[in-house]
Amino acid sequence: MRLATFVHQGQRMVGTVSADGLMVTPLALSAADAQRGALPLVEAAARGVALPAANGNAVKLAEVQLEAPIPIPRRNIWCVGRNYHEHAKELQGSVFKNNNTNPAAWPIVFTKVPECVVANGADVLLPGDDISPQIDYEAELAVVIGTGGKNIAKADAMRHVYGYTIVNDVTARDVQMRHQQWDMGKSFDTFCPMGPWIVTADELDGQHTRVRCWVNDEPRQDGRTEDLIFDIPTLIETISRGITLYPGDVIATGTPAGVGLGMTPPTFLKSGDVVRIEIDGIGTLQNRFV
């Protein structure tokens, strides 16, 4: 099942997307719940409540405006750095130079504020060179937590996954490195495109899929989640150590090699650039930088 948050005739709705990706069927949600996107449905599923019934006829996807599936997450998005071996190598002399030299020791975990989330198709705002001229892209598979919990064992972790979406972990590289922690360089307004929808875990195996990225139709990133340094169960086990995860929490699992900072010379995003991310089994997330 694919759950999309969208606006139709001026009203925010949540619905199921057809298998061919051409239609979306609204679900019976109150206006207040619909403002939270798919999050109330994830929370309801964690309580054992069935999906609401359809509310009206299917609408052409081309006639609606997609929004991020969870437009404002309940709290910061969990993110993982240095989680593909080739990406660890390409930034070992820059972003990762002060980190543990063994990339398999512990995951690098940071967060992005909820307010930086924007939708598929939305503009990403470049902050201007006086704030940062080093804006970079990072294509990532994101896990949506279903059943919450604390101290979740690796062996049980996949039972806590509701589904998956795509995230572009946009980054101001100079700001990321300047502060010796990453949250500020990761959390500028609009720096977390998310979408196009959530694919539930019964339809997609996030441990076996492909993540690709293009900038202006030029291939930049291509990786498989089998190549994660820390797999999804390990990430859930690690992040839930002493910390309660809640339904709807989002974990971005890291990016493959091919980011702009890793190019020779480093190549950062400029106004008018279009970043397209595709993950097999989910779809496409595309945004213009302005």
Side-chain angles (χ1 to χ4, degrees), residues 74-215:
R74 63 185 299 159
R75 60 179 179 179
N76 284 23
I77 297 160
W78 299 99
C79 302
V80 180
R82 199 174 63 170
N83 205 24
Y84 287 80
H85 287 287
E86 292 304 312
H87 180 58
K89 292 176 184 177
E90 72 177 347
L91 299 189
Q92 64 184 351
S94 55
V95 172
F96 305 136
K97 65 181 179 181
N98 293 322
N99 297 117
N100 190 319
T101 55
N102 176 12
W106 285 95
I108 297 171
V109 181
F110 59 96
T111 67
K112 297 171 80 81
V113 297
E115 292 80 6
C116 67
V117 171
V118 294
N120 174 60
D123 288 342
V124 178
L125 305 179
L126 297 170
D129 287 356
D130 56 332
I131 296 175
S132 174
Q134 298 184 5
I135 307 306
D136 210 348
Y137 53 87
E138 293 191 0
E140 307 202 10
L141 174 73
V143 175
V144 180
I145 294 295
T147 305
K150 183 168 73 171
N151 300 328
I152 298 168
K154 182 177 178 179
D156 299 326
M158 296 307 295
R159 302 176 194 169
H160 293 259
V161 175
Y162 180 83
Y164 304 91
T165 189
I166 305 172
V167 159
N168 186 349
D169 177 19
V170 183
T171 307
R173 292 297 185 192
D174 47 352
V175 178
Q176 176 188 20
M177 292 182 282
R178 174 189 307 153
H179 294 283
Q180 302 181 64
Q181 55 76 39
W182 296 0
D183 292 23
M184 290 187 66
K186 298 282 191 173
S187 293
F188 287 13
D189 293 350
T190 73
F191 269 27
C192 190
M194 179 191 293
W197 38 63
I198 294 171
V199 176
T200 51
D202 59 349
E203 186 171 320
L204 173 67
D205 180 0
Q207 299 187 91
H208 301 281
T209 191
R210 186 181 184 187
V211 179
R212 291 177 289 171
C213 176
W214 294 259
V215 178

Side-chain angles (χ1 to χ4, degrees), residues 173-288:
R173 292 297 185 192
D174 47 352
V175 178
Q176 176 188 20
M177 292 182 282
R178 174 189 307 153
H179 294 283
Q180 302 181 64
Q181 55 76 39
W182 296 0
D183 292 23
M184 290 187 66
K186 298 282 191 173
S187 293
F188 287 13
D189 293 350
T190 73
F191 269 27
C192 190
M194 179 191 293
W197 38 63
I198 294 171
V199 176
T200 51
D202 59 349
E203 186 171 320
L204 173 67
D205 180 0
Q207 299 187 91
H208 301 281
T209 191
R210 186 181 184 187
V211 179
R212 291 177 289 171
C213 176
W214 294 259
V215 178
N216 302 326
D217 293 325
E218 176 190 350
R220 294 285 183 89
Q221 296 181 277
D222 190 348
R224 296 198 60 87
T225 55
E226 290 93 336
D227 299 327
L228 290 172
I229 297 172
F230 301 99
D231 62 14
I232 292 169
T234 301
L235 296 179
I236 293 172
E237 179 182 65
T238 301
I239 294 171
S240 71
R241 287 166 62 96
I243 298 173
T244 301
L245 293 179
Y246 294 99
D249 275 349
V250 177
I251 302 173
T253 58
T255 198
V259 297
L261 181 59
M263 299 175 70
T264 304
T267 304
F268 298 110
L269 296 169
K270 60 185 184 301
S271 182
D273 284 347
V274 175
V275 177
R276 184 175 86 253
I277 300 169
E278 294 184 8
I279 296 183
D280 292 356
I282 300 179
T284 301
L285 175 68
Q286 178 169 297
N287 299 85
R288 182 179 298 275

